[in-house]
Amino acid sequence: MRILITGAAGFLGSHLCDRLIKEGHTVIGMDNFITGNPMNLAQLTGSDRFSFIKHDVSEYIFVPGKLDAVLHFASPASPNPASPFSYPNLPIQTMKAGALGTHNTLGVAKANDARFLLASTSEIYGDPLEHPQKETYWGHADPIGFRSVYDEAKRFAEALTMAYHRFHDLDTRIVRIFNTYGPRMRLDDGRVVPNFLQQALLGKPITIYGDGSQTRSFCYVDDLIEGIYRLLLSDEHMPVNIGNPAEIAISQFAEVINKMVGNKAGVVYEPDKRLGDDPQRRQPDITRAKSILGWEPVTDLETGLERTIQYFRTQLSQ
Ligand code: NAD
Ligand code: UDP
C-alpha cells in the first residue's frame, strides 16, 4: 500500500512508519513538528519507500499520486499544563488538528478512495463511570473542562469519521488508544512515564499529582503498533480499544519505577497539580480486539519499562 501518516514525527507516528516500512509498504509522513521531533524519523531517511512532507494538517492537504490508506495521528497528546507541548497549552491547535485535520485527512482518503484510520483515545470516555471501559460506553466527559479541547476534538473526529463511513461509504477504522509508553516519548512532554523516568534517573523525588490513587493501564508501544496494524488490515469499522488491561495506581507505578531505577529519593505528593477532570480510573476492556483482531498485549510492564529506561538514559546522557 501507499500510505499517508499524519503526526509521523511523533512518538506513535514514527513507530508506525517503521512498522509499515518493515512490512513493505510505501509511506509518506506528514508533520508540522509542533510536538514531534524530526530525529524520530532519522532511521528512515535512507529508505526509498519513505518520504516526508512538512505540513499543518489543519490546512488543506495535497499529496501527489494515488494513496491506498490515510492514518490520522497528528495531535498534541499530553494533558500536563507544566509542559509547553501539552494540549492545555496548545488548545486551539489541538482542536484544529482533531477537527479540521480530521476533515482534511478524511477528504484526502475520499478523493483517493483509500481506507482511513483515526487515532482516537480513551479520553473520549472522559472520567468514566463504567469500569473497565467497553467500546459501547458513551463516556462522561465535561464539554468545557480542562481536557475538553482534546476530548471533544476526538469525539468530533470519531463522529466525522462515522459520518464519512455512513454517508460516503468510506472504508474507515477507529482505534481508541489507551496510555502507551516507550522509546521516543518526549522527555519534556509532561506525561507520567517521561516525568517519572526522568525524575528517577536524575535521582529526584517522583512527583505524584493528587493522592496517587488514580489508576492507568500502560501499554508498551510495540504491542500497540501490532494492534493498530491488525486493525488497519481488518474490515472493522466500529471503534476498537487497544491498550493493556493491567491496571495500576499512579502511586504504585512510582514505586515500581523508583525500584527499577534504584532511585532512593522517593516520592513527593503534589495534590494541587491534579486537574479537576483527571480520570480516576482507566482500564480498557479489550474483548473486541481479542475476538476481531486476535490481538492482546504480550509485553509486561517491567520489560517495557526496561526498554524505555534504556532510551531515556541515552537521551539524558546527550
Ligand atoms: P506526539 O505528540 O508524540 O505525536 C503527535 C505528532 O503530531 C507530533 O509529531 C506533532 O508534531 C504532530 N502534529 C500535531 N499537530 C499537527 C498538525 N496540525 N499538523 C501536522 N502535524 C501535527 O503524540 P503521540 O503520543 O505520538 O500521539 C499520537 C496520536 O495518538 C495522537 O492523535 C494522540 O491523540 C493519540 N493517542 C496517543 C496516546 C498515547 O498514549 N501515546 C493515547 C491515546 C491517543
Ligand atoms: N501524573 C502524576 N505526576 C506527574 C505526571 C502525571 O501523578 O508528574 C498523573 C496524572 O495526574 C494522571 C496520570 O499521572 O493522573 C497520567 O497522566 P498522563 O499525563 O500520563 O496522561 P493521562 O492518562 O492523564 O491522559
Side-chain angles (χ1 to χ4, degrees), residues 208-214 249-252 269-272 274 280:
I208 296 177
Y209 299 167
D211 64 3
S213 65
Q214 69 269 34
I250 290 300
S251 53
Q252 199 192 336
Y269 285 87
E270 299 190 326
D272 299 343
R274 181 144 186 245
Q280 179 59 27

Side-chain angles (χ1 to χ4, degrees), residues 19-307:
R19 175 64 188 267
L20 293 170
I21 290 288
K22 198 170 148 212
E23 296 289 340
H25 303 290
T26 297
V27 174
I28 301 146
M30 179 172 285
D31 207 294
N32 66 352
F33 303 127
I34 190 168
T35 62
N37 181 352
M39 283 311 291
N40 288 339
L41 297 170
Q43 70 289 355
L44 293 176
T45 47
S47 169
D48 57 5
R49 282 184 286 108
F50 182 76
S51 58
F52 182 80
I53 302 173
K54 184 168 186 274
H55 182 72
D56 180 338
V57 294
S58 57
E59 305 288 339
Y60 179 84
I61 298 171
F62 173 72
V63 177
K66 173 85 177 78
L67 291 168
D68 302 300
V70 177
L71 279 55
H72 181 35
F73 277 70
S75 170
S78 164
N80 192 336
S83 164
F85 303 101
S86 66
Y87 54 76
N89 285 317
L90 301 166
I92 318 293
Q93 292 95 327
T94 301
M95 295 215 77
K96 285 171 81 174
L100 304 178
T102 303
H103 190 214
N104 290 333
T105 50
L106 280 164
V108 172
K110 180 168 165 275
N112 282 276
D113 197 16
R115 68 183 74 173
F116 178 84
L117 187 145
L118 173 71
S120 185
T121 167
S122 51
E123 278 286 322
I124 64 102
Y125 299 120
D127 188 1
L129 303 178
E130 242 185 63
H131 192 80
Q133 292 80 52
K134 287 192 182 72
E135 291 87 344
T136 46
Y137 179 48
W138 290 0
H140 178 234
D142 179 350
I144 55 162
F146 200 75
R147 293 178 175 239
S148 63
V149 293
Y150 184 67
D151 302 4
E152 296 300 335
K154 292 286 187 181
R155 289 174 69 98
F156 174 89
E158 287 203 10
L160 193 63
T161 301
M162 289 310 293
Y164 268 70
H165 175 61
R166 291 182 177 125
F167 190 73
H168 289 308
D169 210 16
L170 194 71
D171 189 11
T172 59
R173 286 140 191 79
I174 297 174
V175 56
R176 290 187 181 151
I177 302 168
F178 283 65
N179 293 67
T180 301
Y181 70 99
R184 299 192 197 147
M185 293 190 94
R186 284 189 83 101
L187 265 73
D188 53 357
D189 90 352
R191 282 183 274 187
V192 68
V193 173
N195 263 21
F196 282 14
L197 283 182
Q198 188 167 194
Q199 289 159 346
L201 287 166
L202 295 174
K204 294 181 178 168
I206 284 184
T207 55
I208 296 177
Y209 299 167
D211 64 3
S213 65
Q214 69 269 34
T215 69
R216 293 296 185 269
S217 307
F218 295 101
C219 185
Y220 186 64
V221 63
D222 290 357
D223 288 341
L224 182 94
I225 297 296
E226 176 65 31
I228 291 174
Y229 189 58
R230 288 189 193 199
L231 180 61
L232 178 68
L233 298 187
S234 79
D235 291 323
E236 182 58 39
H237 302 300
M238 299 304 282
V240 180
N241 289 339
I242 300 280
N244 191 321
E247 185 186 8
I248 184 168
I250 290 300
S251 53
Q252 199 192 336
F253 188 56
E255 272 174 37
V256 170
I257 288 181
N258 271 340
K259 191 161 169 234
M260 282 184 73
V261 172
N263 181 29
K264 305 276 180 245
V267 300
V268 58
Y269 285 87
E270 299 190 326
D272 299 343
K273 288 214 176 140
R274 181 144 186 245
L275 302 165
D277 49 3
D278 184 331
Q280 179 59 27
R281 294 190 78 182
R282 189 185 281 155
Q283 182 191 34
D285 180 316
I286 59 164
T287 309
R288 293 193 80 237
K290 277 186 188 165
S291 65
I292 296 166
L293 310 175
W295 175 87
E296 63 184 316
V298 294
T299 313
D300 63 36
L301 188 62
E302 293 236 331
T303 309
L305 281 176
E306 206 53 75
R307 293 177 195 160

